[in-house]
Amino acid sequence: MAKSGKGRRFIVSSIIFIAFLCTIASINELRFDHLLRFSRCALKLEDTLPVNAPVNPSTDEIRVLLGILTLPDHYHRRHFLRLIYATQQMVPGAKVDVKFVFCNLTKEDQRVLIALEIMQYDDIIILNCKENMNNGKSYTYFSSLPDMFNEDSGSSGGAYPPYHYVMKGDDDAYFRLGQLVESLRVLPREDLYYGYTIPCDNMNPYGHYMSGMGYLISWDIVEWLKVSNIPKAHIDGPEDKVFGDWMEQGKKGKNRHNAKWSMYNYPDPPTKCTHELWPDTVAVHLLKTQEKWIQTLKYFNATQDLKPSKLYHIE
């Protein structure tokens, strides 16, 4: 009988032990399953995030206005730049509007041809000013934007601000819009002054100004320019330097970003302001000849998305 009792106890203990092991296994399986599902979710999330996204990105898309200051009679240049910017791939979560900006029309042919351009492309801003380079055109551009876009937000889908950032660019500069957007993702959306710091051999953006090739400000500074008396009292002079003076006098642009050497002058002829063409590029300036444009576009493989067709052969 003693042996029989011990056998029963052994069997009961074995059953309890096996049940315990099954319970532990079930818990581990449940944890593993949760971990597996979590890892799958994490991988899917990672796939949806843009490359180099900040740790806490805003859920809003980045809205940028690039105003290219040019002249009414530069028809061929505008058509050429439309080709360049219309064929660039934009990054998800961003909206970049490229507009061509000049002062009042003065000739009959301009009124006809530019009206046709507007009807076709809707990418022109005509400022109420007399055409100039260093006598207030840039000020008129920035200070006119709040009335254009705050009161009629259809261009930006009804959002405020209509643009987080506004950039002024030259028509002899090549802007890589995707790279511009990526460089802005980690930067503040208020009180921002962004560009290529002058002088060329200086890397500190404070106490200096940004090159006229292309500088960018946040929308709050655009609105400040409209109402402040500081720029109105100091209009004439090299437009980029004068703009920097406004920032200093108004204590604006506390957030500054020196985009050197993502922005630079074309490498030939070499100067302190030039840089070799390289992948980490936002803008290349001083493309004064067709050859320089072609070499730049070739380097950045601007035609890479050309689809094969029986209609043409380009080798």
Side-chain angles (χ1 to χ4, degrees), residues 58-66 93-97 142 145 149-150 156 159-167 181 184-185 187-194 216-223:
S58 170
T59 56
D60 297 335
E61 68 174 359
I62 295 179
R63 299 185 294 276
V64 183
L65 172 63
L66 169 57
K95 178 178 182 288
V96 180
D97 289 337
F142 284 110
L145 294 177
F149 293 104
N150 277 347
S156 57
Y160 181 85
Y163 297 100
H164 298 110
Y165 308 106
V166 175
M167 193 169 203
V181 167
L184 293 170
R185 286 197 187 277
L187 298 180
R189 293 188 178 180
E190 292 184 352
D191 208 19
L192 179 68
Y193 183 27
Y194 168 117
L216 174 147
I217 55 175
S218 50
W219 186 257
D220 58 305
I221 297 181
V222 173
E223 293 185 322

Side-chain angles (χ1 to χ4, degrees), residues 297-314:
L297 294 172
K298 283 178 61 179
Y299 178 85
F300 293 110
N301 200 10
T303 61
Q304 63 182 329
D305 294 324
L306 179 67
K307 297 179 180 179
S309 172
K310 295 179 179 179
L311 301 178
Y312 49 77
H313 59 280
I314 299 177

Side-chain angles (χ1 to χ4, degrees), residues 62-120:
I62 295 179
R63 299 185 294 276
V64 183
L65 172 63
L66 169 57
I68 299 176
L69 272 60
T70 184
L71 298 172
D73 287 334
H74 285 188
Y75 300 104
H76 295 297
R77 176 58 59 87
R78 285 196 294 279
H79 291 313
F80 175 64
L81 293 176
R82 283 187 183 110
L83 284 176
I84 290 172
Y85 294 122
T87 53
Q88 287 193 25
Q89 285 191 347
M90 276 307 302
V91 296
K95 178 178 182 288
V96 180
D97 289 337
V98 179
K99 304 283 188 183
F100 298 98
V101 183
F102 39 80
C103 292
N104 289 323
L105 308 182
T106 58
K107 299 187 292 188
E108 191 65 26
D109 65 311
Q110 293 175 350
R111 297 184 180 95
V112 173
L113 297 176
I114 291 172
L116 290 172
E117 280 188 80
I118 294 172
M119 292 167 63
Q120 177 63 32

Side-chain angles (χ1 to χ4, degrees), residues 19-37:
F20 174 77
L21 290 177
C22 290
T23 303
I24 294 298
S26 298
I27 293 172
N28 285 338
E29 182 179 2
L30 182 63
R31 288 177 177 170
F32 176 78
D33 183 63
H34 278 249
L35 287 171
L36 183 61
R37 279 183 285 175

Side-chain angles (χ1 to χ4, degrees), residues 275-289:
H275 192 283
E276 293 298 317
L277 298 175
W278 68 315
D280 187 22
T281 294
V282 169
V284 184
H285 187 220
L286 293 184
L287 301 177
K288 298 292 188 182
T289 66

Side-chain angles (χ1 to χ4, degrees), residues 25-257:
S26 298
I27 293 172
N28 285 338
E29 182 179 2
L30 182 63
R31 288 177 177 170
F32 176 78
D33 183 63
H34 278 249
L35 287 171
L36 183 61
R37 279 183 285 175
F38 178 81
S39 65
R40 286 172 180 166
C41 292
L43 287 172
K44 289 179 180 178
L45 178 61
E46 184 180 16
D47 289 341
T48 63
L49 291 175
V51 177
N52 297 326
V55 175
N56 294 307
S58 170
T59 56
D60 297 335
E61 68 174 359
I62 295 179
R63 299 185 294 276
V64 183
L65 172 63
L66 169 57
I68 299 176
L69 272 60
T70 184
L71 298 172
D73 287 334
H74 285 188
Y75 300 104
H76 295 297
R77 176 58 59 87
R78 285 196 294 279
H79 291 313
F80 175 64
L81 293 176
R82 283 187 183 110
L83 284 176
I84 290 172
Y85 294 122
T87 53
Q88 287 193 25
Q89 285 191 347
M90 276 307 302
V91 296
K95 178 178 182 288
V96 180
D97 289 337
V98 179
K99 304 283 188 183
F100 298 98
V101 183
F102 39 80
C103 292
N104 289 323
L105 308 182
T106 58
K107 299 187 292 188
E108 191 65 26
D109 65 311
Q110 293 175 350
R111 297 184 180 95
V112 173
L113 297 176
I114 291 172
L116 290 172
E117 280 188 80
I118 294 172
M119 292 167 63
Q120 177 63 32
Y121 302 108
D122 192 24
D123 62 357
I124 287 175
I125 295 176
I126 301 177
L127 304 173
N128 186 21
C129 57
K130 184 177 180 180
E131 198 59 61
N132 68 87
M133 179 181 294
N134 293 315
N135 300 107
K137 183 176 180 178
S138 294
Y139 168 72
T140 305
Y141 163 57
F142 284 110
S143 63
S144 300
L145 294 177
D147 287 340
M148 291 180 182
F149 293 104
N150 277 347
E151 295 178 5
D152 179 14
S153 58
S155 299
S156 57
Y160 181 85
Y163 297 100
H164 298 110
Y165 308 106
V166 175
M167 193 169 203
K168 171 264 171 186
D170 285 351
D171 67 359
D172 63 346
Y174 172 58
F175 294 93
R176 302 179 71 214
L177 304 181
Q179 284 66 28
L180 171 63
V181 167
E182 291 300 337
S183 72
L184 293 170
R185 286 197 187 277
V186 296
L187 298 180
R189 293 188 178 180
E190 292 184 352
D191 208 19
L192 179 68
Y193 183 27
Y194 168 117
Y196 176 102
T197 302
I198 296 295
C200 296
D201 56 358
N202 193 299
M203 297 300 290
N204 180 11
Y206 293 92
H208 302 280
Y209 63 95
M210 307 299 184
S211 165
M213 75 164 81
Y215 51 87
L216 174 147
I217 55 175
S218 50
W219 186 257
D220 58 305
I221 297 181
V222 173
E223 293 185 322
W224 172 78
L225 288 170
K226 180 183 185 302
V227 299
S228 174
N229 289 323
I230 290 175
K232 296 173 185 175
H234 179 26
I235 293 291
D236 296 340
E239 61 92 14
D240 49 3
K241 185 178 185 305
V242 168
F243 193 95
D245 292 342
W246 300 339
M247 296 295 98
E248 293 299 316
Q249 294 171 28
K251 301 187 186 311
K252 294 294 180 178
K254 291 184 176 65
N255 299 309
R256 300 199 178 191
H257 179 75

